[in-house]
Short mmCIF file of all heavy atoms in Angstrom, two decimals:
data_model
loop_
_atom_site.label_atom_id
_atom_site.label_comp_id
_atom_site.label_asym_id
_atom_site.label_seq_id
_atom_site.Cartn_x
_atom_site.Cartn_y
_atom_site.Cartn_z
N SER A 166 4.98 21.03 25.31
CA SER A 166 5.53 19.78 24.73
C SER A 166 6.05 18.85 25.81
O SER A 166 6.71 19.31 26.77
CB SER A 166 6.65 20.15 23.73
OG SER A 166 7.28 19.05 23.23
N LYS A 167 5.86 17.52 25.64
CA LYS A 167 6.35 16.62 26.58
C LYS A 167 7.84 16.24 26.36
O LYS A 167 8.53 15.74 27.24
CB LYS A 167 5.49 15.28 26.48
CG LYS A 167 4.04 15.48 26.96
CD LYS A 167 3.29 14.19 26.87
CE LYS A 167 1.79 14.42 27.30
NZ LYS A 167 1.04 13.21 27.24
N LEU A 168 8.28 16.49 25.12
CA LEU A 168 9.68 16.24 24.83
C LEU A 168 10.34 17.57 24.44
O LEU A 168 9.67 18.52 24.02
CB LEU A 168 9.81 15.26 23.62
CG LEU A 168 9.32 13.85 23.88
CD1 LEU A 168 9.36 13.01 22.59
CD2 LEU A 168 10.21 13.16 24.97
N PRO A 169 11.70 17.63 24.53
CA PRO A 169 12.33 18.85 24.12
C PRO A 169 12.08 19.18 22.68
O PRO A 169 12.06 18.32 21.81
CB PRO A 169 13.86 18.53 24.29
CG PRO A 169 13.90 17.40 25.30
CD PRO A 169 12.63 16.63 25.10
N VAL A 170 11.83 20.48 22.40
CA VAL A 170 11.57 20.91 21.02
C VAL A 170 12.93 21.20 20.40
O VAL A 170 13.73 21.97 20.89
CB VAL A 170 10.70 22.24 21.00
CG1 VAL A 170 10.64 22.77 19.63
CG2 VAL A 170 9.33 21.92 21.56
N LYS A 171 13.18 20.59 19.25
CA LYS A 171 14.51 20.60 18.63
C LYS A 171 14.58 21.71 17.63
O LYS A 171 13.79 21.76 16.67
CB LYS A 171 14.78 19.26 17.89
CG LYS A 171 16.22 19.05 17.43
CD LYS A 171 16.38 17.68 16.90
CE LYS A 171 17.82 17.41 16.48
NZ LYS A 171 18.00 15.98 15.91
N ILE A 172 15.52 22.63 17.80
CA ILE A 172 15.71 23.81 16.94
C ILE A 172 17.07 23.72 16.32
O ILE A 172 18.09 23.59 17.09
CB ILE A 172 15.48 25.10 17.71
CG1 ILE A 172 14.15 25.15 18.35
CG2 ILE A 172 15.70 26.28 16.77
CD1 ILE A 172 13.95 26.38 19.19
N GLY A 173 17.21 23.78 15.05
CA GLY A 173 18.52 23.72 14.41
C GLY A 173 19.10 25.08 14.17
O GLY A 173 18.44 26.07 13.94
N TYR A 174 20.44 25.16 14.25
CA TYR A 174 21.22 26.35 13.94
C TYR A 174 22.44 25.94 13.13
O TYR A 174 22.76 24.81 13.10
CB TYR A 174 21.59 27.12 15.22
CG TYR A 174 22.54 26.32 16.12
CD1 TYR A 174 23.91 26.33 15.90
CD2 TYR A 174 22.04 25.53 17.14
CE1 TYR A 174 24.77 25.63 16.76
CE2 TYR A 174 22.86 24.79 17.98
CZ TYR A 174 24.25 24.82 17.77
OH TYR A 174 25.07 24.09 18.57
N HIS A 175 23.07 26.95 12.50
CA HIS A 175 24.15 26.60 11.57
C HIS A 175 25.57 26.74 12.15
O HIS A 175 26.53 26.20 11.59
CB HIS A 175 24.07 27.43 10.30
CG HIS A 175 24.51 28.85 10.46
ND1 HIS A 175 23.79 29.80 11.06
CD2 HIS A 175 25.68 29.46 10.07
CE1 HIS A 175 24.41 30.97 11.07
NE2 HIS A 175 25.58 30.78 10.49
N SER A 176 25.71 27.45 13.28
CA SER A 176 27.02 27.65 13.84
C SER A 176 26.89 27.98 15.32
O SER A 176 26.03 28.81 15.69
CB SER A 176 27.76 28.79 13.12
OG SER A 176 28.95 29.19 13.83
N PRO A 177 27.66 27.36 16.21
CA PRO A 177 27.51 27.58 17.64
C PRO A 177 27.82 29.05 18.05
O PRO A 177 27.35 29.41 19.17
CB PRO A 177 28.58 26.61 18.24
CG PRO A 177 29.51 26.31 17.17
CD PRO A 177 28.73 26.39 15.88
N THR A 178 28.54 29.75 17.28
CA THR A 178 28.81 31.17 17.63
C THR A 178 28.08 32.18 16.75
O THR A 178 28.42 33.31 16.68
CB THR A 178 30.34 31.47 17.60
OG1 THR A 178 30.84 31.11 16.24
CG2 THR A 178 31.07 30.67 18.64
N SER A 179 27.01 31.70 16.05
CA SER A 179 26.26 32.56 15.15
C SER A 179 25.35 33.49 15.96
O SER A 179 24.88 33.13 17.04
CB SER A 179 25.44 31.78 14.18
OG SER A 179 24.36 31.06 14.87
N ALA A 180 25.15 34.70 15.49
CA ALA A 180 24.32 35.66 16.15
C ALA A 180 22.86 35.16 16.32
O ALA A 180 22.28 35.30 17.41
CB ALA A 180 24.32 36.97 15.39
N PRO A 181 22.28 34.54 15.30
CA PRO A 181 20.87 33.99 15.51
C PRO A 181 20.76 33.02 16.67
O PRO A 181 19.85 33.10 17.45
CB PRO A 181 20.52 33.35 14.15
CG PRO A 181 21.42 34.05 13.18
CD PRO A 181 22.71 34.31 13.88
N LYS A 182 21.69 32.12 16.74
CA LYS A 182 21.68 31.11 17.81
C LYS A 182 21.84 31.78 19.14
O LYS A 182 21.14 31.42 20.12
CB LYS A 182 22.74 30.05 17.56
CG LYS A 182 22.75 28.91 18.53
CD LYS A 182 23.79 29.05 19.56
CE LYS A 182 23.90 27.75 20.45
NZ LYS A 182 24.92 27.92 21.55
N ILE A 183 22.78 32.67 19.29
CA ILE A 183 23.03 33.38 20.57
C ILE A 183 21.82 34.13 21.02
O ILE A 183 21.44 34.06 22.17
CB ILE A 183 24.26 34.30 20.43
CG1 ILE A 183 25.49 33.48 20.02
CG2 ILE A 183 24.48 35.08 21.71
CD1 ILE A 183 25.95 32.47 21.03
N LEU A 184 21.21 34.89 20.13
CA LEU A 184 20.08 35.75 20.51
C LEU A 184 18.86 34.92 20.89
O LEU A 184 18.21 35.21 21.89
CB LEU A 184 19.69 36.70 19.30
CG LEU A 184 20.72 37.80 18.96
CD1 LEU A 184 20.07 38.77 17.97
CD2 LEU A 184 21.19 38.51 20.19
N LEU A 185 18.56 33.87 20.10
CA LEU A 185 17.44 32.99 20.45
C LEU A 185 17.62 32.30 21.75
O LEU A 185 16.71 32.26 22.57
CB LEU A 185 17.19 32.02 19.30
CG LEU A 185 15.99 31.06 19.56
CD1 LEU A 185 14.71 31.87 19.54
CD2 LEU A 185 15.95 29.95 18.57
N GLU A 186 18.80 31.84 21.98
CA GLU A 186 19.02 31.07 23.22
C GLU A 186 18.82 31.98 24.41
O GLU A 186 18.22 31.59 25.40
CB GLU A 186 20.47 30.52 23.26
CG GLU A 186 20.81 29.69 24.48
CD GLU A 186 22.17 29.06 24.46
OE1 GLU A 186 22.87 29.20 23.41
OE2 GLU A 186 22.55 28.33 25.42
N ARG A 187 19.30 33.20 24.31
CA ARG A 187 19.08 34.17 25.49
C ARG A 187 17.56 34.47 25.63
O ARG A 187 17.12 34.43 26.76
CB ARG A 187 19.83 35.43 25.16
CG ARG A 187 19.58 36.58 26.18
CD ARG A 187 19.91 36.14 27.62
NE ARG A 187 19.56 37.23 28.52
CZ ARG A 187 20.45 38.11 28.95
NH1 ARG A 187 21.68 38.13 28.54
NH2 ARG A 187 20.04 39.06 29.83
N ALA A 188 16.88 34.66 24.55
CA ALA A 188 15.48 34.98 24.61
C ALA A 188 14.69 33.80 25.24
O ALA A 188 13.73 34.03 26.07
CB ALA A 188 14.87 35.40 23.30
N LEU A 189 15.00 32.57 24.84
CA LEU A 189 14.32 31.44 25.37
C LEU A 189 14.56 31.30 26.88
O LEU A 189 13.62 30.96 27.68
CB LEU A 189 14.82 30.17 24.66
CG LEU A 189 14.49 30.08 23.18
CD1 LEU A 189 15.17 28.82 22.62
CD2 LEU A 189 13.00 29.98 22.97
N LYS A 190 15.82 31.50 27.33
CA LYS A 190 16.09 31.44 28.73
C LYS A 190 15.40 32.58 29.52
O LYS A 190 14.94 32.39 30.66
CB LYS A 190 17.63 31.51 28.96
CG LYS A 190 18.32 30.22 28.49
CD LYS A 190 19.84 30.35 28.72
CE LYS A 190 20.47 29.01 28.31
NZ LYS A 190 21.97 29.09 28.47
N GLU A 191 15.31 33.75 28.93
CA GLU A 191 14.58 34.87 29.54
C GLU A 191 13.10 34.52 29.66
O GLU A 191 12.45 35.03 30.58
CB GLU A 191 14.77 36.14 28.68
CG GLU A 191 16.14 36.72 28.72
CD GLU A 191 16.48 37.39 30.09
OE1 GLU A 191 15.55 37.95 30.70
OE2 GLU A 191 17.63 37.28 30.53
N ALA A 192 12.59 33.70 28.75
CA ALA A 192 11.20 33.30 28.83
C ALA A 192 10.96 32.13 29.85
O ALA A 192 9.86 31.70 29.98
CB ALA A 192 10.74 32.84 27.43
N GLY A 193 12.03 31.72 30.53
CA GLY A 193 11.90 30.78 31.55
C GLY A 193 12.04 29.32 31.10
O GLY A 193 11.68 28.37 31.78
N LEU A 194 12.57 29.11 29.88
CA LEU A 194 12.72 27.79 29.32
C LEU A 194 14.17 27.26 29.57
O LEU A 194 15.16 27.98 29.43
CB LEU A 194 12.46 27.76 27.79
CG LEU A 194 11.04 28.26 27.37
CD1 LEU A 194 10.90 28.31 25.84
CD2 LEU A 194 9.98 27.31 27.95
N SER A 195 14.23 25.99 29.85
CA SER A 195 15.60 25.32 30.01
C SER A 195 16.01 24.90 28.58
O SER A 195 15.25 24.35 27.83
CB SER A 195 15.50 24.12 30.90
OG SER A 195 14.48 23.24 30.50
N VAL A 196 17.27 25.19 28.29
CA VAL A 196 17.84 24.94 26.95
C VAL A 196 19.07 24.04 27.10
O VAL A 196 19.89 24.16 28.00
CB VAL A 196 18.27 26.26 26.31
CG1 VAL A 196 18.83 26.00 24.92
CG2 VAL A 196 17.04 27.22 26.20
N THR A 197 19.22 23.07 26.21
CA THR A 197 20.33 22.13 26.22
C THR A 197 20.82 21.90 24.80
O THR A 197 20.12 22.18 23.82
CB THR A 197 19.92 20.82 26.90
OG1 THR A 197 21.08 20.03 26.98
CG2 THR A 197 18.92 20.07 26.00
N GLU A 198 22.01 21.44 24.70
CA GLU A 198 22.55 20.90 23.42
C GLU A 198 22.89 19.46 23.55
O GLU A 198 23.44 18.85 22.60
CB GLU A 198 23.78 21.72 22.99
CG GLU A 198 23.43 23.16 22.69
CD GLU A 198 24.55 23.91 21.95
OE1 GLU A 198 25.11 23.37 21.04
OE2 GLU A 198 24.82 25.04 22.40
N ASN A 199 22.48 18.84 24.65
CA ASN A 199 22.67 17.43 24.92
C ASN A 199 21.42 16.65 24.50
O ASN A 199 20.37 16.77 25.13
CB ASN A 199 22.96 17.17 26.41
CG ASN A 199 23.17 15.72 26.75
OD1 ASN A 199 23.15 14.84 25.89
ND2 ASN A 199 23.31 15.40 28.01
N PRO A 200 21.52 15.80 23.45
CA PRO A 200 20.29 15.09 22.97
C PRO A 200 19.74 14.08 23.96
O PRO A 200 18.63 13.64 23.83
CB PRO A 200 20.82 14.42 21.64
CG PRO A 200 22.28 14.27 21.84
CD PRO A 200 22.70 15.52 22.61
N ASN A 201 20.49 13.78 25.00
CA ASN A 201 20.07 12.83 25.99
C ASN A 201 19.40 13.56 27.21
O ASN A 201 18.95 12.89 28.15
CB ASN A 201 21.18 11.97 26.52
CG ASN A 201 21.73 11.08 25.37
OD1 ASN A 201 21.02 10.51 24.62
ND2 ASN A 201 23.12 11.05 25.23
N ASP A 202 19.35 14.83 27.19
CA ASP A 202 18.75 15.61 28.30
C ASP A 202 17.27 15.82 27.99
O ASP A 202 16.89 16.78 27.32
CB ASP A 202 19.49 17.00 28.43
CG ASP A 202 18.98 17.80 29.54
OD1 ASP A 202 18.03 17.29 30.26
OD2 ASP A 202 19.44 18.92 29.73
N TYR A 203 16.47 14.91 28.50
CA TYR A 203 15.04 15.01 28.17
C TYR A 203 14.27 15.94 29.17
O TYR A 203 13.08 16.09 29.02
CB TYR A 203 14.41 13.59 28.22
CG TYR A 203 14.98 12.70 27.11
CD1 TYR A 203 15.92 11.73 27.40
CD2 TYR A 203 14.47 12.84 25.77
CE1 TYR A 203 16.43 10.96 26.37
CE2 TYR A 203 14.96 12.06 24.80
CZ TYR A 203 15.94 11.07 25.07
OH TYR A 203 16.44 10.29 24.09
N LYS A 204 14.99 16.49 30.14
CA LYS A 204 14.30 17.36 31.07
C LYS A 204 14.23 18.76 30.53
O LYS A 204 13.41 19.58 30.96
CB LYS A 204 15.08 17.34 32.40
CG LYS A 204 14.99 15.98 33.13
CD LYS A 204 15.72 16.09 34.48
CE LYS A 204 15.59 14.77 35.21
NZ LYS A 204 16.29 14.80 36.53
N ALA A 205 15.10 19.07 29.60
CA ALA A 205 15.11 20.42 28.98
C ALA A 205 13.89 20.66 28.14
O ALA A 205 13.33 19.67 27.59
CB ALA A 205 16.41 20.63 28.20
N LYS A 206 13.48 21.89 27.92
CA LYS A 206 12.37 22.20 27.12
C LYS A 206 12.72 22.43 25.62
O LYS A 206 11.95 22.23 24.70
CB LYS A 206 11.62 23.44 27.58
CG LYS A 206 11.01 23.28 29.00
CD LYS A 206 10.08 22.11 29.16
CE LYS A 206 8.85 22.24 28.29
NZ LYS A 206 7.92 21.13 28.49
N VAL A 207 14.04 22.84 25.42
CA VAL A 207 14.56 23.12 24.07
C VAL A 207 15.83 22.40 23.85
O VAL A 207 16.76 22.49 24.73
CB VAL A 207 14.65 24.61 23.79
CG1 VAL A 207 15.28 24.88 22.47
CG2 VAL A 207 13.34 25.34 23.96
N LEU A 208 15.95 21.69 22.75
CA LEU A 208 17.21 21.05 22.34
C LEU A 208 17.75 21.84 21.11
O LEU A 208 17.10 21.85 20.07
CB LEU A 208 16.99 19.59 21.97
CG LEU A 208 18.19 18.93 21.32
CD1 LEU A 208 19.41 18.85 22.25
CD2 LEU A 208 17.81 17.48 20.93
N LEU A 209 18.85 22.52 21.30
CA LEU A 209 19.48 23.19 20.17
C LEU A 209 20.43 22.23 19.46
O LEU A 209 21.29 21.66 20.09
CB LEU A 209 20.28 24.41 20.66
CG LEU A 209 19.39 25.53 21.25
CD1 LEU A 209 20.26 26.67 21.82
CD2 LEU A 209 18.38 26.07 20.24
N ALA A 210 20.25 22.13 18.13
CA ALA A 210 21.01 21.14 17.32
C ALA A 210 21.89 21.87 16.35
O ALA A 210 21.52 22.73 15.54
CB ALA A 210 20.08 20.21 16.60
N ASP A 211 23.20 21.54 16.38
CA ASP A 211 24.16 22.13 15.43
C ASP A 211 24.13 21.45 14.10
O ASP A 211 24.48 20.31 13.96
CB ASP A 211 25.57 21.99 16.04
CG ASP A 211 26.66 22.74 15.22
OD1 ASP A 211 26.24 23.29 14.18
OD2 ASP A 211 27.80 22.78 15.65
N LEU A 212 23.61 22.17 13.09
CA LEU A 212 23.48 21.58 11.74
C LEU A 212 24.76 21.81 10.86
O LEU A 212 24.73 21.45 9.71
CB LEU A 212 22.31 22.19 11.04
CG LEU A 212 20.93 21.94 11.75
CD1 LEU A 212 19.78 22.68 11.04
CD2 LEU A 212 20.61 20.47 11.91
N LYS A 213 25.79 22.37 11.49
CA LYS A 213 27.12 22.52 10.94
C LYS A 213 27.29 23.64 9.86
O LYS A 213 28.34 24.26 9.82
CB LYS A 213 27.64 21.19 10.36
CG LYS A 213 27.56 20.06 11.36
CD LYS A 213 28.43 20.35 12.60
CE LYS A 213 28.45 19.21 13.56
NZ LYS A 213 29.24 19.48 14.81
N GLU A 214 26.27 23.79 9.00
CA GLU A 214 26.48 24.86 7.97
C GLU A 214 25.05 25.28 7.51
O GLU A 214 24.06 24.56 7.66
CB GLU A 214 27.30 24.33 6.83
CG GLU A 214 26.85 23.10 6.15
CD GLU A 214 27.82 22.70 5.01
OE1 GLU A 214 27.75 23.30 3.97
OE2 GLU A 214 28.58 21.68 5.25
N THR A 215 25.03 26.44 6.87
CA THR A 215 23.72 27.01 6.44
C THR A 215 23.03 26.11 5.39
O THR A 215 21.81 26.06 5.43
CB THR A 215 24.01 28.35 5.85
OG1 THR A 215 25.00 28.32 4.81
CG2 THR A 215 24.38 29.39 6.88
N SER A 216 23.75 25.39 4.58
CA SER A 216 23.16 24.61 3.52
C SER A 216 22.33 23.44 4.09
O SER A 216 21.52 22.85 3.33
CB SER A 216 24.21 24.08 2.54
OG SER A 216 25.16 23.23 3.19
N ASN A 217 22.52 23.05 5.30
CA ASN A 217 21.85 22.00 5.96
C ASN A 217 20.52 22.37 6.59
O ASN A 217 19.74 21.50 6.98
CB ASN A 217 22.73 21.27 6.96
CG ASN A 217 23.93 20.60 6.38
OD1 ASN A 217 23.87 20.13 5.24
ND2 ASN A 217 25.01 20.46 7.13
N MET A 218 20.31 23.68 6.70
CA MET A 218 19.12 24.09 7.52
C MET A 218 17.81 23.79 6.90
O MET A 218 16.94 23.14 7.49
CB MET A 218 19.23 25.63 7.80
CG MET A 218 20.35 25.94 8.78
SD MET A 218 20.16 27.60 9.47
CE MET A 218 20.29 28.64 8.07
N LEU A 219 17.61 24.11 5.61
CA LEU A 219 16.35 23.92 4.99
C LEU A 219 16.07 22.41 4.77
O LEU A 219 14.94 21.96 5.02
CB LEU A 219 16.22 24.63 3.66
CG LEU A 219 16.20 26.15 3.70
CD1 LEU A 219 15.95 26.78 2.36
CD2 LEU A 219 15.14 26.59 4.70
N PRO A 220 17.03 21.61 4.38
CA PRO A 220 16.79 20.15 4.31
C PRO A 220 16.43 19.53 5.68
O PRO A 220 15.54 18.68 5.72
CB PRO A 220 18.16 19.54 3.81
CG PRO A 220 18.75 20.67 3.00
CD PRO A 220 18.36 21.88 3.76
N ALA A 221 17.04 19.98 6.74
CA ALA A 221 16.69 19.49 8.07
C ALA A 221 15.28 19.86 8.45
O ALA A 221 14.56 19.07 9.09
CB ALA A 221 17.70 20.08 9.08
N LEU A 222 14.85 21.07 8.03
CA LEU A 222 13.49 21.45 8.35
C LEU A 222 12.49 20.66 7.48
O LEU A 222 11.48 20.19 7.97
CB LEU A 222 13.33 22.96 8.03
CG LEU A 222 11.94 23.55 8.33
CD1 LEU A 222 11.71 23.59 9.82
CD2 LEU A 222 11.86 25.01 7.75
N ALA A 223 12.79 20.51 6.19
CA ALA A 223 11.93 19.83 5.28
C ALA A 223 11.74 18.36 5.64
O ALA A 223 10.63 17.80 5.44
CB ALA A 223 12.44 19.94 3.86
N THR A 224 12.76 17.73 6.17
CA THR A 224 12.68 16.30 6.52
C THR A 224 12.31 16.08 7.96
O THR A 224 12.33 14.94 8.47
CB THR A 224 13.96 15.59 6.21
OG1 THR A 224 15.00 16.29 6.95
CG2 THR A 224 14.30 15.59 4.74
N ARG A 225 11.93 17.18 8.64
CA ARG A 225 11.46 17.14 10.07
C ARG A 225 12.53 16.56 11.01
O ARG A 225 12.20 15.99 12.07
CB ARG A 225 10.13 16.32 10.19
CG ARG A 225 9.04 16.82 9.28
CD ARG A 225 8.61 18.24 9.67
NE ARG A 225 7.59 18.74 8.72
CZ ARG A 225 6.35 19.02 9.07
NH1 ARG A 225 5.91 18.84 10.33
NH2 ARG A 225 5.52 19.49 8.19
N GLN A 226 13.84 16.74 10.62
CA GLN A 226 14.87 16.43 11.61
C GLN A 226 14.84 17.36 12.77
O GLN A 226 15.29 17.04 13.86
CB GLN A 226 16.21 16.47 10.92
CG GLN A 226 16.40 15.41 9.80
CD GLN A 226 17.77 15.66 9.11
OE1 GLN A 226 18.76 15.82 9.76
NE2 GLN A 226 17.77 15.64 7.81
N VAL A 227 14.36 18.59 12.51
CA VAL A 227 14.20 19.58 13.57
C VAL A 227 12.81 20.13 13.47
O VAL A 227 12.15 20.03 12.39
CB VAL A 227 15.23 20.71 13.43
CG1 VAL A 227 16.67 20.19 13.68
CG2 VAL A 227 15.15 21.38 12.10
N GLU A 228 12.33 20.72 14.53
CA GLU A 228 10.96 21.27 14.50
C GLU A 228 11.01 22.75 14.07
O GLU A 228 9.91 23.33 13.80
CB GLU A 228 10.31 21.12 15.86
CG GLU A 228 10.04 19.62 16.15
CD GLU A 228 9.55 19.40 17.58
OE1 GLU A 228 8.39 19.70 17.88
OE2 GLU A 228 10.36 18.99 18.42
N ALA A 229 12.15 23.35 14.06
CA ALA A 229 12.30 24.73 13.62
C ALA A 229 13.79 25.01 13.39
O ALA A 229 14.67 24.22 13.85
CB ALA A 229 11.77 25.73 14.65
N ILE A 230 14.11 26.01 12.66
CA ILE A 230 15.45 26.45 12.46
C ILE A 230 15.54 27.95 12.77
O ILE A 230 14.59 28.70 12.64
CB ILE A 230 15.98 26.23 11.02
CG1 ILE A 230 15.08 26.91 10.00
CG2 ILE A 230 16.13 24.76 10.74
CD1 ILE A 230 15.60 26.86 8.55
N VAL A 231 16.73 28.38 13.23
CA VAL A 231 16.95 29.80 13.46
C VAL A 231 18.21 30.15 12.65
O VAL A 231 19.24 29.45 12.71
CB VAL A 231 17.18 30.12 14.94
CG1 VAL A 231 18.36 29.42 15.53
CG2 VAL A 231 17.28 31.67 15.15
N GLY A 232 18.09 31.14 11.81
CA GLY A 232 19.24 31.48 10.94
C GLY A 232 19.13 32.84 10.32
O GLY A 232 18.14 33.56 10.45
N PRO A 233 20.15 33.19 9.48
CA PRO A 233 20.22 34.51 8.87
C PRO A 233 19.53 34.45 7.51
O PRO A 233 19.38 33.45 6.92
CB PRO A 233 21.71 34.68 8.74
CG PRO A 233 22.25 33.30 8.46
CD PRO A 233 21.39 32.38 9.35
N SER A 234 19.28 35.65 7.00
CA SER A 234 18.80 35.77 5.59
C SER A 234 19.91 35.20 4.69
O SER A 234 21.10 35.36 5.04
CB SER A 234 18.53 37.20 5.30
OG SER A 234 17.45 37.74 6.00
#
Side-chain angles (χ1 to χ4, degrees):
S166 177
K167 294 181 179 180
L168 293 174
V170 173
K171 191 174 182 180
I172 303 174
Y174 62 86
H175 76 283
S176 169
T178 55
S179 68
K182 185 257 187 183
I183 299 298
L184 294 190
L185 180 67
E186 184 175 358
R187 173 57 183 267
L189 294 175
K190 290 179 176 178
E191 289 289 324
L194 300 176
S195 53
V196 181
T197 186
E198 295 192 46
N199 179 2
N201 297 316
D202 182 2
Y203 294 102
K204 293 182 179 180
K206 298 305 295 183
V207 175
L208 170 61
L209 294 177
D211 188 356
L212 301 177
K213 304 300 182 184
E214 56 183 284
T215 51
S216 61
N217 292 332
M218 290 199 296
L219 293 187
L222 183 69
T224 56
R225 305 296 175 115
Q226 296 176 45
V227 295
E228 292 173 78
I230 56 172
V231 61
S234 295

